[in-house]
Amino acid sequence: MRGVLHFLIGLTVIFCIECKVKQDAIDGAIVNSKVDRKIDVSTHLVKMSTSITLENTGKSPIKSFLYALEPSLQNYLSIITANVKDKDEKLGVSQTTVASKKDLSFWRIELPSNLEPGKTMTVDVDSSYAHALTPYPAEITQSQKQQVLYNGNVYFFSPYSTKSQTTTVTTTNTAIESYSKSPKPVSQTDRTVTYGPYEQREAFSEAELRVHYENNSPFLTVTNLERIIEVSHWGNIAVEEHISMRHTGALLKGPFSRYDYQRAQDGLSSIKAFKTVLPAAARDVYYRDEIGNISTSNLKEMDDFVELELRPRFPLFGGWKTQYYIGYNVPSYQYLFNKGDNYALKMRFVDHIFDDMVVDQVTVKIILPEGAKNMRLETPYPVTQGENQLHFTYLDTTGRPVIVIHKSNLVEQHIQDFQLHYTFQKLLLLQEPLIVVGAFYLLFLAVIVYVRLDFSITKDEAKESKMRVASLVEEVQSAHDRRSALYQSYDDAINKYKSTKDANTFAATRKKVDADYKSLTQQISDLQTKLKNEGSDLAEKVNELQVSDRQYKDLVALAITLAEKLVSGKINKQQYLDNEKINKTKREDLDSKMEALRSSLA
Amino acid sequence: MLVLSIAAILSFSTRLFSVLRFESVIHEFDPYFNYRTTRYLTEEGFYSFHNWFDDRAWYPLGRIIGGTIYPGLMVTSAVFYHALWFFNITIDIRNVCVFLAPMFSSFTTLVTYWFTKELKDAGAGLVAAAMIAIVPGYISRSVAGSYDNEGIAIFCMLLTYALWIKSVKTGSLFWSCLCALAYFYMVSSWGGYVFLINLIPLHVLALMLTGRFSHRIYVAYSAVYCIGTILSMQISFVGFQPVQSSEHMAALGVFGLCQMHAFIDYVRSKLSVEQFNILFRSIVLMGAVVSLSVAAIGTATGKISPWTGRFYSLLDPSYAKNNIPIIASVSEHQPTTWSSFYFDLQMLTIMFPAGLYFCFNRLTDANIFIIMYGVTSIYFAGVMVRLMLVLAPVMCILSGIGVSSTLNTYMKNLDVSRKDKKTSKKNVDHTYPFKNEVATGVVFLVTAFLITYTFHCTWVTSEAYSSPSIVLSARAGDGGRIIFDDFREAYYWLRHNTPEDAKVMSWWDYGYQITAMANRTILVDNNTWNNTHISRVGQAMASTEDKAYEIMRELDVNYVLVIFGGLTGYSSDDINKFLWMVRIGGSTDRGAHIKEADYYTPQGEFRIDKEGSPTLLNCLMYKMCYYRFGEVYTEGGKPTGYDRVRNAEIGNKNFDLDVLEEAYTTEHWLVRIYKVKDLDNRGA
């Protein structure tokens, strides 16, 4: 079912493309009164800039004219643009067909204003062609220089007749092996070959133009580029580019000698390094491939861009390939604009990889935040939009929408901005932090529940009893501590009594302390019974503690009697002091014994 | 608890030196294979992993990966990987692999604590845990990026031991079953499990001989052995070995003995002493005769396989050297030197006997186990460098016990004397003068030991064990760091600029790396299962160009890769390994014409300069390494073609290669790749 649906969608897409291609007819009233063509073949691209002076010899005004591609170049076209001479404004350029010339490729260029009969207008048309140069010989050795062949048309290939025209071909350097020398006039000065001027040529006239020259500029082609733009509304846009590249010049024949390469510095056509220009705000740049980091790169930060000098793991000779990926972060405020919940992302469709770059295939993936909706894409040139995907990464639940765009055959002029409009509810920003908070909350809750609940199937009597004993012992200890404090109160009371000789106060204090003491002792003996019930042998120790305590209490009582006797004058001071000293020693001994017992309980 | 978690975190972070200093890459050779198989497992699923026939290695034989590896490591990381992905944590499988070993070492720290606590007390456990967190002998195999079986195997081993001790102590079936499961995990992850399955029976045997045999041990061993053996047979690489090979026979024998012992105990409880003695003698005699004859018949009929070479070399260190060059050629299989003991263990070598003493002091079932473990492993570590790994944990445990007991003893004295000082000086013990001073001295000494240990460990880790052998670094003249990334340069070149089905011949060390990084078919790799095949490659390297060409045509070789350090001074290159190639090449019938003596000078030296033997100067390996090297100036003041590793000017400078052509040489000449030319056109 899904398959059928896809098929239907595919059909519709094809149908739409078909209906976009317009039909045009050749207007015989137009004449190219003067054509000046400059063909630049100094790099691995063919850059053709044609300045056409149009003349309307008919009766009615003209809105547009046709531009035909040379048959030898029409498969290589990357980009074509047009503007009126000395004006920046770009003219509308669209592909079209002509019924009588089915096998040719035409482009219709809209004029900014109607060309009235009898008037002329000069239009500059720029076009670039990739892979149009053929290495000849196709295989060279390491020390040989690379020579290429340019095949073209001497005449301006036009659906209209041309009155006067010249063509100049600019090569890399003066080492031009050969060039076609007819039709006359043909001349060469330094690195340019000039054909023409030629007068009065018919429409679609052709004559072979052939230049064979030395060209050691890097024939580097990106065979496949995958550009991933990940937008985060937390203020960051991560860009990663996966690049497969290939040296598309003359193939390397025979061995590669590192010795010659290092000593003689030959291998002129090989590519050692190239420069990539990143946006000025790019941070955390990395340069890696599938087996790890590539350590040979240099980063230079300029005022308005970041220059990255990349050296592949190995120099690229003809036919050699490599693959790598680079990535960086840019702050989102430069590229992401919003009004309420409506957002617009404005970024380059492709970015600079190296000068005069050629990209055969590009796939751009834009990953939007989770919850983005109503995506609408605006691109500066036609692209193929693939099916949207979902991307899952940290803390995602429903997945992030991914826009997939394909385009083939791109050059530097394609570095232009696209716009992606979408809506996003700001509240959704909180979703991911809340998930983290919730997860931790659940975790802590689970721990709390686990600690408080008893999951054992059978009760462990011994362990429980142990715990009960421990708590009882603790109680005993605290009760005993308080009791020891009471002994101190006895001492204080006695001393006070000795000095004030106030029997009433003393009796009252004593009564109070006695009551406290009794309750504590009672408490301890209760605890002792409980301990006994638990079957703990600690009960014995508590018992011992109680016995010592009783002895201590007796001693305290003795001390009180002595004090009373002293106060009432029944014994003299010396006698009291002697008795008290013996008593005190005994008390201290008992005290330390009880302390030892107390601490042995734990 | 806090100390323990700090130790665990420390053990993780101390292993990250290499990641910080270089990057998150896999180190060494074997880990690359593990990484490749793990990736296969995560991408293709378990069943196709299990049935995987790898045609990229051992061309033209291929290798059945699923049945010839221990899958524990790969399965573990695949489980981690899938668990993380389930929570949408999109981590790269490479990072899972890189960080698996450090993670497991922090688990090991926890297990060590538990194990030592079972043996002694929590204090000793903490000391042992802190020690194992940073012991270099273990770090060497578990730094981030060293993705090898040993990384998790040590964890499994200690876990099994801890559970074994627990089950011996309690005699409970529950712990025994857990122990068997841990044993299963161990079997699934490392071939070293054989040590374990011999050590546990040895322990049981020792307990029997010392008369400590009890029902607890009977229950524990019977359960562990039965369940463990059945489980271990589920690993296809292990298969029926546990009941057939001699390495496992000890365990089986002890199992039988166990049953008899238990039966005898039962009978003894029913019979009078005289009757029992008669019965006992006759049964022992009969039993001995029967088991001996069964073993003899089994061995004779091939049911019980003889011991493998590695085990012979364990029992007799000189065995490998004399008989199996392939085992001897691995540096890990060399006998350990004394210095490496100190280097890897430092003060543990001193504290180890102290720990042993304390164990003997208070002999229990568990202590007997750790004593046996310590003594056997120190022997094995002495035989093979690699087994230092087995020794390191027990060293830590015993030293932990030693340090902790020493400190306990003297700290007590310290406390006593301090109290004395405060109150009165009455209680000074006259039989033990200077008690406090001695105690202070000892405590200071131990503390100093521990501090130097920490510094030593950190230093060793950062200097010696944290360099991924795949990326080399050197100090430049101006103090900056130069990185030699030549290996990856070469592998990546192979990956992108050779035909998809190209066959690459290299010495077996680099096999795993080539398959993993260059994704090309290779002839031999680090799984040295086919000696004749490796020998054939050795013969090709050691022959003259013509002879080698025949061998290379026969093996269908497209590219030859050699490692050459002469320009940079990288000493473990192929010329230094060359003698092993000669030995291994000459060890089979077809290579009988290759004699080691031919490659030496008449004085018996291995020289590459003019004095060197002509056989050496004209063999393929020499020519591939030094092709056009004779024109290079390497060091100021020295002639061209000066080899910086062997410090000599090469003897054969201007020669051409007839059957090979240089396909690629890396920036620092570390890796040189040659293309084998096709046969000449007829009549050309």
Side-chain angles (χ1 to χ4, degrees):
Chain A
M1 188 60 214
R2 258 186 95 119
V4 174
L5 201 67
H6 282 184
F7 178 67
L8 281 179
I9 292 171
L11 259 187
T12 343
V13 169
I14 291 167
F15 186 69
C16 286
I17 292 171
E18 287 286 307
C19 60
K20 258 187 192 166
V21 178
K22 294 158 222 158
Q23 278 271 344
D24 270 284
I26 298 168
D27 187 346
I30 303 176
V31 171
N32 302 321
S33 60
K34 189 175 188 308
V35 173
D36 190 11
R37 252 189 341 151
K38 292 193 174 68
I39 303 169
D40 179 4
V41 289
S42 61
T43 63
H44 64 145
L45 290 171
V46 175
K47 296 178 199 159
M48 198 184 286
S49 53
T50 320
S51 167
I52 311 164
T53 309
L54 293 167
E55 188 181 346
N56 188 355
T57 57
K59 300 254 158 42
S60 52
I62 300 166
K63 284 189 190 123
S64 63
F65 72 101
L66 295 179
Y67 182 89
L69 295 184
E70 287 173 32
S72 61
L73 290 177
Q74 65 183 13
N75 293 329
Y76 302 121
L77 180 78
S78 296
I79 195 160
I80 178 166
T81 57
N83 58 294
V84 177
K85 196 174 174 70
D86 301 328
K87 280 183 188 159
D88 282 343
E89 195 197 341
K90 293 264 179 273
L91 303 180
V93 180
S94 56
Q95 192 162 19
T96 181
T97 54
V98 172
S100 55
K101 297 272 181 187
K102 275 256 190 291
D103 50 341
L104 291 179
S105 165
F106 289 94
W107 292 77
R108 189 173 67 195
I109 299 170
E110 314 284 342
L111 296 176
S113 55
N114 284 353
L115 186 61
E116 298 301 331
K119 296 275 160 104
T120 59
M121 183 187 272
T122 306
V123 177
D124 288 343
V125 180
D126 290 324
S127 51
S128 292
Y129 306 86
H131 305 303
L133 299 174
T134 335
Y136 188 82
E139 287 189 344
I140 53 171
T141 59
Q142 187 182 339
S143 55
Q144 266 179 313
K145 288 166 181 167
Q146 179 169 270
Q147 289 177 324
V148 296
L149 207 55
Y150 169 68
N151 271 309
N153 190 354
V154 174
Y155 302 123
F156 175 51
F157 193 70
S158 171
Y160 316 114
S161 58
T162 308
K163 280 186 187 161
S164 160
Q165 58 177 312
T166 45
T167 297
T168 55
V169 180
T170 312
T171 60
T172 321
N173 51 33
T174 51
I176 299 175
E177 192 79 14
S178 69
Y179 56 94
S180 53
K181 296 199 169 76
S182 63
K184 303 276 180 205
V186 182
S187 63
Q188 186 209 342
T189 47
D190 285 351
R191 43 190 281 238
T192 50
V193 185
T194 313
Y195 289 86
Y198 304 114
E199 306 293 333
Q200 298 298 349
R201 301 289 157 171
E202 286 306 302
F204 300 116
S205 46
E206 282 184 90
E208 198 198 19
L209 185 159
R210 199 164 162 278
V211 184
H212 186 204
Y213 64 104
E214 184 188 315
N215 185 351
N216 283 316
S217 66
F219 271 56
L220 193 57
T221 306
V222 176
T223 48
N224 195 17
L225 165 71
E226 189 177 324
R227 181 170 155 94
I228 300 165
I229 299 169
E230 191 171 351
V231 180
S232 160
H233 278 193
W234 292 96
N236 188 54
I237 297 177
V239 181
E240 190 169 284
E241 291 181 339
H242 292 251
I243 295 163
S244 313
M245 55 171 55
R246 182 185 171 91
H247 188 301
T248 43
L251 301 179
L252 176 71
K253 184 172 69 180
F256 161 70
S257 164
R258 175 63 74 169
Y259 176 76
D260 292 337
Y261 187 72
Q262 279 173 339
R263 295 290 135 156
Q265 295 292 334
D266 62 356
L268 287 172
S269 65
S270 72
I271 296 157
K272 299 171 185 81
F274 51 87
K275 283 175 182 157
T276 298
V277 174
L278 303 179
R283 285 170 284 120
D284 319 327
V285 182
Y286 53 87
Y287 172 44
R288 290 178 197 152
D289 61 25
E290 57 213 305
I291 58 171
N293 189 44
I294 309 171
S295 46
T296 46
S297 63
N298 278 315
L299 188 79
K300 266 187 248 163
E301 290 200 23
M302 306 293 186
D303 280 346
D304 46 0
F305 58 90
V306 173
E307 188 185 272
L308 193 60
E309 192 195 339
L310 302 177
R311 202 145 64 86
R313 285 193 190 275
F314 42 84
L316 288 172
F317 278 88
W320 288 12
K321 295 178 290 183
T322 191
Q323 258 177 27
Y324 68 91
Y325 58 92
I326 58 172
Y328 52 91
N329 291 328
V330 285
S332 65
Y333 65 85
Q334 294 182 352
Y335 303 98
L336 191 63
F337 307 95
N338 77 311
K339 193 176 177 189
D341 283 346
N342 293 311
Y343 285 82
L345 178 72
K346 191 167 178 246
M347 279 191 93
R348 285 176 173 181
F349 184 75
V350 285
D351 212 333
H352 181 270
I353 299 171
F354 48 85
D355 291 336
D356 293 317
M357 66 181 190
V358 173
V359 183
D360 288 351
Q361 268 301 332
V362 64
T363 306
V364 178
K365 287 185 177 171
I366 307 160
I367 303 172
L368 295 175
E370 209 173 41
K373 284 193 213 65
N374 309 323
M375 282 78 75
R376 188 166 49 81
L377 186 71
E378 284 173 21
T379 50
Y381 34 80
V383 296
T384 327
Q385 197 170 347
E387 206 178 334
N388 286 1
Q389 298 171 343
L390 281 180
H391 175 79
F392 288 92
T393 181
Y394 305 97
L395 301 172
D396 283 348
T397 45
T398 54
R400 308 182 176 206
V402 184
I403 315 279
V404 185
I405 315 164
H406 304 284
K407 168 106 182 125
S408 56
N409 208 354
L410 290 93
V411 288
E412 228 168 34
Q413 283 86 342
H414 283 98
I415 303 179
Q416 291 176 37
D417 285 344
F418 70 87
Q419 282 186 26
L420 180 67
H421 299 271
Y422 61 94
T423 57
F424 180 78
Q425 281 182 302
K426 282 204 173 119
L427 267 182
L428 285 176
L429 261 186
L430 292 176
Q431 182 186 338
E432 299 195 339
L434 282 179
I435 288 176
V436 178
V437 171
F440 274 101
Y441 178 72
L442 281 180
L443 180 73
F444 291 144
L445 203 68
V447 171
I448 290 169
V449 168
Y450 177 78
V451 168
R452 263 141 224 262
L453 287 186
D454 185 3
F455 289 102
S456 56
I457 303 167
T458 51
K459 274 199 173 167
D460 190 344
E461 269 306 324
K463 204 175 166 190
E464 298 221 336
S465 146
K466 222 182 195 170
M467 277 163 71
R468 274 202 297 275
V469 167
S471 79
L472 286 174
V473 164
E474 211 165 290
E475 277 184 60
V476 168
Q477 284 174 343
S478 81
H480 177 76
D481 288 347
R482 271 182 286 155
R483 201 163 65 179
S484 315
L486 285 181
Y487 298 147
Q488 194 59 44
S489 330
Y490 273 123
D491 282 355
D492 292 347
I494 291 168
N495 286 340
K496 206 175 172 193
Y497 173 59
K498 277 191 292 190
S499 54
T500 58
K501 306 201 166 35
D502 183 351
N504 288 338
T505 327
F506 178 61
T509 322
R510 198 180 147 194
K511 206 174 166 190
K512 203 174 133 234
V513 177
D514 269 348
D516 284 351
Y517 173 81
K518 255 187 201 135
S519 77
L520 280 173
T521 313
Q522 186 54 43
Q523 200 185 338
I524 292 180
S525 55
D526 285 353
L527 290 170
Q528 186 195 350
T529 339
K530 279 187 192 162
L531 273 176
K532 217 170 209 166
N533 289 343
E534 291 295 338
S536 166
D537 45 358
L538 289 177
E540 288 300 308
K541 282 192 177 166
V542 176
N543 189 35
E544 227 172 290
L545 188 70
Q546 292 288 68
V547 171
S548 322
D549 180 65
R550 230 166 284 138
Q551 288 170 359
Y552 192 94
K553 184 75 193 2
D554 290 345
L555 287 174
V556 170
L558 189 64
I560 292 167
T561 334
L562 280 173
E564 275 169 352
K565 275 182 184 165
L566 178 69
V567 171
S568 56
K570 280 182 187 147
I571 50 171
N572 62 22
K573 194 151 187 180
Q574 190 52 48
Q575 275 175 314
Y576 173 76
L577 282 179
D578 290 347
N579 282 327
E580 176 61 19
K581 198 181 172 191
I582 300 164
N583 191 315
K584 192 154 191 170
T585 327
K586 279 185 187 163
R587 282 213 312 261
E588 269 171 8
D589 284 352
L590 271 174
D591 195 38
S592 55
K593 187 182 168 194
M594 280 193 292
E595 263 319 298
L597 272 172
R598 178 209 173 276
S599 41
S600 74
L601 277 175
Chain B
M1 190 64 194
L2 184 72
V3 177
L4 194 61
S5 20
I6 291 176
I9 293 167
L10 178 72
S11 70
F12 186 84
S13 46
T14 191
R15 288 164 167 80
L16 301 184
F17 269 118
S18 65
V19 172
L20 297 180
R21 212 168 279 173
F22 296 91
E23 56 185 300
S24 150
V25 283
I26 310 274
H27 299 191
E28 305 284 340
F29 303 111
D30 282 18
Y32 267 97
F33 171 73
N34 298 331
Y35 170 53
R36 176 166 164 251
T37 46
T38 310
R39 231 177 33 200
Y40 188 88
L41 173 62
T42 48
E43 280 161 15
E44 308 281 328
F46 184 75
Y47 280 97
S48 50
F49 171 72
H50 198 70
N51 297 321
W52 183 14
F53 177 80
D54 183 14
D55 54 0
R56 290 260 133 144
W58 293 97
Y59 181 85
L61 308 167
R63 176 182 173 194
I64 308 154
I65 300 259
T68 53
I69 55 162
Y70 294 101
L73 181 71
M74 297 91 196
V75 172
T76 309
S77 40
V79 166
F80 271 108
Y81 177 74
H82 286 302
L84 288 174
W85 272 79
F86 178 76
F87 290 106
N88 282 331
I89 297 176
T90 47
I91 188 170
D92 190 23
I93 182 70
R94 192 187 66 225
N95 287 330
V96 175
C97 297
V98 166
F99 293 108
L100 193 78
M103 199 176 70
F104 265 89
S105 56
S106 61
F107 290 164
T108 311
T109 315
L110 301 182
V111 168
T112 310
Y113 165 73
W114 187 49
F115 185 29
T116 320
K117 202 182 114 196
E118 288 299 322
L119 290 171
K120 184 93 200 317
D121 51 24
L126 285 181
V127 178
M131 280 176 166
I132 202 161
I134 52 170
V135 64
Y138 179 36
I139 283 182
S140 67
R141 287 324 194 89
S142 62
V143 287
S146 129
Y147 177 58
D148 213 346
N149 289 335
E150 286 93 335
I152 66 168
I154 291 302
F155 165 74
C156 308
M157 190 173 78
L158 286 177
L159 183 67
T160 316
Y161 288 155
L163 287 167
W164 166 247
I165 290 301
K166 191 81 189 167
S167 50
V168 164
K169 273 177 145 182
T170 57
S172 103
L173 264 181
F174 172 69
W175 290 112
S176 322
C177 292
L178 282 187
C179 179
L181 282 178
Y183 172 66
F184 171 60
Y185 191 31
M186 172 79 192
V187 174
S188 74
S189 55
W190 194 35
Y193 76 90
V194 178
F195 176 63
L196 213 148
I197 195 61
N198 281 309
L199 184 62
I200 289 178
L202 195 65
H203 178 218
V204 174
L205 194 67
L207 289 178
M208 270 191 232
L209 293 179
T210 48
R212 285 163 172 273
F213 189 77
S214 67
H215 287 293
R216 281 178 292 134
I217 289 155
Y218 178 69
V219 169
Y221 185 66
S222 304
V224 169
Y225 179 73
C226 294
I227 302 175
T229 305
I230 291 169
L231 284 177
S232 67
M233 283 159 73
Q234 308 309 310
I235 306 291
S236 48
F237 188 30
V238 176
F240 279 92
Q241 280 180 38
V243 287
Q244 285 185 338
S245 75
S246 3
E247 287 122 30
H248 300 76
M249 279 306 122
L252 183 62
V254 169
F255 178 66
L257 218 57
C258 231
Q259 308 305 321
M260 279 197 270
H261 200 300
F263 178 70
I264 288 165
D265 280 349
Y266 173 74
V267 171
R268 185 177 357 212
S269 66
K270 302 280 175 199
L271 291 176
S272 68
V273 179
E274 290 98 58
Q275 284 171 317
F276 174 76
N277 276 345
I278 298 166
L279 193 69
F280 183 68
R281 256 177 232 148
S282 51
I283 283 178
V284 165
L285 264 179
M286 280 218 337
V289 168
V290 166
S291 54
L292 270 180
S293 53
V294 165
I297 291 166
T299 316
T301 54
K303 283 281 174 212
I304 300 173
S305 63
W307 290 12
T308 57
R310 275 187 207 184
F311 280 91
Y312 277 123
S313 64
L314 268 185
L315 299 179
D316 172 14
S318 60
Y319 176 82
K321 210 172 181 180
N322 301 332
N323 296 295
I324 321 164
I326 192 122
I327 289 177
S329 78
V330 183
S331 62
E332 292 181 335
H333 294 164
Q334 305 291 335
T336 318
T337 56
W338 276 108
S339 61
S340 82
F341 267 108
Y342 185 76
F343 188 69
D344 277 351
L345 303 165
Q346 220 241 359
M347 61 156 290
L348 300 186
T349 38
I350 307 159
M351 289 316 293
F352 170 75
L356 270 187
Y357 163 76
F358 283 110
C359 283
F360 269 115
N361 230 2
R362 256 190 32 203
L363 216 53
T364 61
D365 293 356
N367 282 347
I368 290 182
F369 179 75
I370 196 72
I371 290 167
M372 316 236 43
Y373 177 21
V375 172
T376 47
S377 68
I378 205 166
Y379 169 72
F380 288 131
V383 174
M384 242 191 222
V385 177
R386 186 143 87 128
L387 294 177
M388 187 63 89
L389 193 66
V390 177
L391 176 67
V394 72
M395 277 281 191
C396 289
I397 291 165
L398 281 173
S399 310
I401 292 173
V403 168
S404 152
S405 306
T406 317
L407 283 181
N408 259 347
T409 318
Y410 286 99
M411 281 290 194
K412 221 179 273 160
N413 292 351
L414 208 61
D415 278 347
V416 167
S417 45
R418 195 178 293 154
K419 217 177 203 172
D420 283 351
K421 256 185 223 161
K422 255 189 215 165
T423 49
S424 64
K425 292 202 170 179
K426 272 183 223 162
N427 291 342
V428 173
D429 188 351
H430 293 291
T431 59
Y432 194 170
F434 305 116
K435 193 174 179 179
N436 183 34
E437 286 75 6
V438 170
T440 323
V442 170
V443 170
F444 269 117
L445 201 66
V446 172
T447 320
F449 264 145
L450 289 176
I451 290 171
T452 51
Y453 172 71
T454 318
F455 278 109
H456 174 83
C457 290
T458 320
W459 177 77
V460 168
T461 313
S462 74
E463 292 298 313
Y465 291 133
S466 292
S467 43
S469 59
I470 193 79
V471 187
L472 308 169
S473 78
R475 293 242 174 269
D478 57 356
R481 218 161 55 123
I482 313 174
I483 287 186
F484 298 127
D485 207 354
D486 286 36
F487 291 105
R488 285 195 294 185
E489 182 186 337
Y491 297 144
Y492 210 58
W493 183 86
L494 274 177
R495 187 188 186 103
H496 284 288
N497 296 305
T498 56
E500 187 81 359
D501 58 349
K503 286 101 196 164
V504 182
M505 178 169 92
S506 73
W507 192 233
W508 59 265
D509 298 25
Y510 317 107
Y512 279 163
Q513 288 185 348
I514 294 173
T515 35
M517 283 198 274
N519 197 18
R520 290 291 173 269
T521 308
I522 46 152
L523 297 185
V524 290
D525 68 22
N526 308 41
N527 176 271
T528 51
W529 63 275
N530 189 328
N531 198 16
T532 39
H533 211 56
I534 293 180
S535 162
R536 201 80 187 122
V537 173
Q539 287 156 29
M541 298 289 191
S543 310
T544 57
E545 245 188 298
D546 303 341
K547 293 242 177 66
Y549 190 59
E550 280 167 31
I551 299 175
M552 288 190 291
R553 296 296 306 181
E554 170 196 317
L555 294 173
D556 212 1
V557 176
N558 302 109
Y559 290 90
V560 189
L561 180 147
V562 291
I563 307 290
F564 171 64
L567 189 74
T568 47
Y570 174 66
S571 62
S572 50
D573 65 352
D574 276 348
I575 292 283
N576 277 1
K577 287 174 187 167
F578 184 61
L579 279 181
W580 288 112
M581 298 182 206
V582 172
R583 280 177 207 150
I584 293 169
S587 69
T588 52
D589 294 342
R590 294 185 74 181
H593 59 282
I594 291 172
K595 296 196 180 57
E596 196 179 333
D598 293 345
Y599 295 84
Y600 292 117
T601 57
Q603 288 79 38
E605 285 173 294
F606 181 70
R607 300 181 69 151
I608 51 132
D609 54 11
K610 284 203 185 73
E611 318 278 299
S613 103
T615 324
L616 173 68
L617 296 193
N618 287 304
C619 74
L620 186 72
M621 175 53 80
Y622 187 91
K623 282 191 165 180
M624 283 197 294
C625 283
Y626 293 120
Y627 178 61
R628 302 206 68 183
F629 185 66
E631 300 161 41
V632 183
Y633 282 102
T634 51
E635 245 173 74
K638 294 281 178 356
T640 55
Y642 184 78
D643 186 322
R644 294 173 73 182
V645 174
R646 284 147 291 259
N647 292 324
E649 184 190 348
I650 58 168
N652 189 357
K653 272 188 188 173
N654 296 313
F655 53 84
D656 278 324
L657 291 170
D658 300 327
V659 297
L660 299 169
E661 70 177 25
E662 186 178 0
Y664 190 74
T665 297
T666 58
E667 196 182 343
H668 305 101
W669 292 52
L670 266 182
V671 186
R672 311 197 68 179
I673 301 170
Y674 291 87
K675 187 170 193 254
V676 180
K677 282 187 194 160
D678 275 338
L679 288 172
D680 285 337
N681 281 336
R682 246 164 223 255

